[in-house]
């Protein structure tokens, strides 16, 4: 890892060499015959007050990174450091405090809400678990949170099935805000919503970020969505980070062949303007047996013999890093 990408204690979140492997079991005795290398040596950081976009094809390991940060999964290897503290060494009390400071907004706003709980209970439950407010004050806190996300206090007595997808996602955002977190992991928060509703939710997240001084890890597969919310963007392919850059630089000067292919697939709102589409050949390799060296080489139009070795992450500018032998 090049110096400068991941070398300071000033980051809110610092991920170093993260790996997460899942066992593949077969037979009557469920013997482990292989490993799914979902994340294989990812290193990232999120600054205070920043939105980092994490993009890539489905199955590349984006959500697994988010789940490890949220401690919904334990990493196979590597460190996740939050405000200078390795979360892998935290005790029970520290973990509880960490869970308060790091919250999540999930992809499916219906399955992430308990259908048997009213909105009042869904948004108020984190306050009860962490004993942040007296029970007499929680109702007013829930009312205030609902107003912040554009819902009416009259909605408190209703249940998730009585709301539209966009409204349910607003309830999920209100729940995430309840504990006044520092970081919110947004795992595909708008991909299940209609396009018009997507814009509303993205604008809401932007407004809340300024008001509550939040940082976001915004996980998505749609680069056109990530462009509107992120200061920096990391591109992931088959468990590896292949490029990290500021948003404007990534869109104006993509370096990695995979990033170029992703950007070429974004539709443009000008029918007369022709855009050259980069069509990748072949299927995404299995994460159980990924290609040696550069994992993108089997589909890369610029692959060379040297790509049989794994390319290191190289700093092109202080804010632009790429793992590709074209730039070594």
């Amino acid at each position: 890892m090049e110096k400068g990408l991941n070398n300071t204690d000033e980051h809110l979140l610092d991920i170093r060499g993260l790996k997460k492997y899942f066992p593949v079991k077969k037979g009557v005795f469920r013997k482990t015959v292989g490993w799914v290398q979902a994340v294989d040596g990812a290193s990232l950081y999120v600054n205070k007050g920043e939105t980092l976009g994490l993009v890539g094809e489905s199955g590349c390991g984006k959500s697994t990174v988010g789940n490890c940060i949220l401690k919904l999964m334990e990493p196979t290897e590597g460190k996740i450091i939050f405000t200078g503290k390795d979360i892998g060494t935290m005790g029970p009390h520290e973990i509880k405090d960490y869970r308060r400071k790091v919250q999540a907004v999930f992809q499916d706003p219906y399955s992430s809400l308990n259908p048997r709980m009213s909105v009042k209970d869904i948004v108020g439950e984190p306050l009860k678990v962490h004993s942040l407010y007296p029970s007499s004050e929680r109702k007013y806190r829930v009312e205030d949170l609902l107003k912040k996300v554009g819902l009416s206090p009259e909605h408190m007595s209703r249940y998730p099935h009585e709301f539209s997808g966009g409204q349910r996602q607003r309830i999920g955002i209100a729940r995430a805000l309840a504990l006044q977190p520092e970081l919110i992991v947004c795992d595909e928060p708008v991909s299940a919503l209609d396009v018009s509703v997507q814009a509303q939710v993205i604008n809401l997240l932007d407004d809340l970020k300024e008001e509550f001084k939040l940082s976001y890890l915004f996980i998505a597969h749609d680069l056109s969505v990530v462009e509107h919310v992120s200061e920096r963007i990391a591109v992931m392919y088959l468990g590896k980070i292949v490029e990290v850059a500021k948003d404007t630089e990534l869109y104006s000067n993509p370096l990695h062949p995979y990033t170029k292919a992703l950007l070429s697939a974004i539709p443009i709102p000008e029918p007369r303007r022709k855009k050259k589409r980069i069509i990748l050949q072949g299927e995404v390799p299995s994460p159980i047996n990924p290609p040696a060296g550069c994992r993108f080489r089997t589909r890369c139009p610029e692959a060379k013999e040297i790509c049989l070795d794994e390319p290191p992450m190289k700093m092109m500018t202080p804010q632009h890093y790429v793992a590709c032998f074209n730039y070594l």
Side-chain angles (χ1 to χ4, degrees):
M1 182 63 60
E2 291 291 330
K3 245 184 161 178
L5 181 60
N6 225 344
N7 69 330
T8 109
D9 293 327
E10 297 177 1
H11 306 141
L12 178 67
L13 179 74
D14 206 343
I15 302 169
R16 302 177 182 176
L18 180 67
K19 294 184 180 182
K20 179 59 182 176
Y21 294 176
F22 297 95
V24 179
K25 297 180 181 291
K26 286 186 178 181
V28 177
F29 299 103
R30 308 303 294 161
K31 183 179 178 182
T32 299
V33 296
W35 297 89
V36 177
Q37 301 176 31
V39 181
D40 192 20
S43 295
L44 292 168
Y45 67 84
V46 181
N47 290 316
K48 292 179 181 179
E50 177 186 50
T51 299
L52 173 69
L54 182 58
V55 300
E57 291 172 293
S58 296
C60 71
K62 309 183 299 297
S63 293
T64 304
V65 171
N67 288 334
C68 289
I69 294 169
L70 294 166
K71 284 196 76 67
L72 299 177
M73 296 176 180
E74 289 299 321
T76 303
E77 192 177 303
K79 292 183 178 181
I80 299 173
I81 299 169
F82 184 76
T83 60
K85 180 83 174 180
D86 184 352
I87 70 171
T89 63
M90 289 180 176
H93 293 292
E94 289 177 304
I95 286 295
K96 187 174 182 180
D97 185 56
Y98 172 76
R99 292 191 185 281
R100 184 181 71 80
K101 293 178 179 177
V102 179
Q103 289 289 300
V105 176
F106 295 103
Q107 176 177 0
D108 186 347
Y110 188 73
S111 64
S112 64
L113 302 177
N114 189 333
R116 298 187 178 186
M117 294 175 68
S118 67
V119 171
K120 177 186 174 183
D121 293 332
I122 289 171
V123 179
E125 186 179 34
L127 304 176
K128 183 179 179 181
V129 170
H130 289 267
S131 305
L132 289 186
Y133 292 86
S135 56
S136 59
E137 294 181 21
R138 285 176 195 147
K139 175 184 175 183
Y140 303 105
R141 176 61 177 162
V142 172
E143 286 182 355
D144 184 55
L145 287 166
L146 292 178
K147 289 177 184 176
K148 295 288 187 187
V149 299
L151 294 175
S152 168
E154 298 173 0
H155 293 142
M156 286 201 303
S157 60
R158 298 184 187 177
Y159 291 81
H161 73 271
E162 299 179 72
F163 296 91
S164 67
Q167 288 174 320
R168 286 196 288 259
Q169 195 61 289
R170 289 173 187 268
I171 296 168
I173 293 170
R175 179 181 58 186
L177 291 173
L179 298 176
Q180 299 176 321
E182 296 178 37
L183 174 70
I184 297 181
V185 177
C186 301
D187 188 2
E188 302 269 12
V190 297
S191 64
L193 306 177
D194 293 337
V195 174
S196 59
V197 180
Q198 286 184 9
Q200 295 172 17
V201 173
I202 288 171
N203 290 335
L204 173 64
L205 290 171
D206 264 345
D207 294 341
L208 293 172
K209 177 186 172 186
E210 297 300 322
E211 183 175 353
F212 290 91
K213 310 299 181 189
L214 298 168
S215 301
Y216 292 136
L217 175 64
F218 196 96
I219 299 169
H221 63 270
D222 189 342
L223 274 163
S224 60
V225 170
V226 174
E227 181 181 10
H228 294 290
V229 296
S230 306
E231 281 86 35
R232 288 187 306 117
I233 298 172
V235 181
M236 195 169 188
Y237 181 80
L238 210 60
K240 296 278 190 182
I241 303 296
V242 298
E243 188 166 1
V244 183
K246 287 185 71 68
D247 59 335
T248 51
E249 188 164 353
L250 187 85
Y251 283 87
S252 63
N253 183 34
L255 298 179
H256 198 279
Y258 179 60
T259 309
K260 294 176 184 177
L262 288 180
L263 290 173
S264 76
I266 299 176
I268 53 176
E270 297 179 33
R272 296 181 181 177
R273 181 180 163 193
K274 292 187 178 181
K275 185 177 183 180
K276 185 179 179 183
R277 176 80 188 274
I278 300 174
I279 307 295
L280 297 177
Q281 301 299 317
E283 297 293 327
V284 179
S286 169
I288 298 175
N289 186 27
C294 175
R295 295 195 171 179
F296 187 59
R297 66 178 177 81
T298 56
R299 304 175 72 199
C300 180
E302 304 174 35
K304 312 180 191 64
E305 189 174 344
I306 194 174
C307 298
L308 290 168
D309 297 325
E310 185 173 342
M313 187 70 78
K314 182 179 180 182
M315 183 176 73
M316 306 304 295
T317 69
Q319 289 289 336
H320 199 160
Y321 297 80
V322 65
C324 180
F325 283 113
N326 285 338
Y327 306 97
L328 295 180

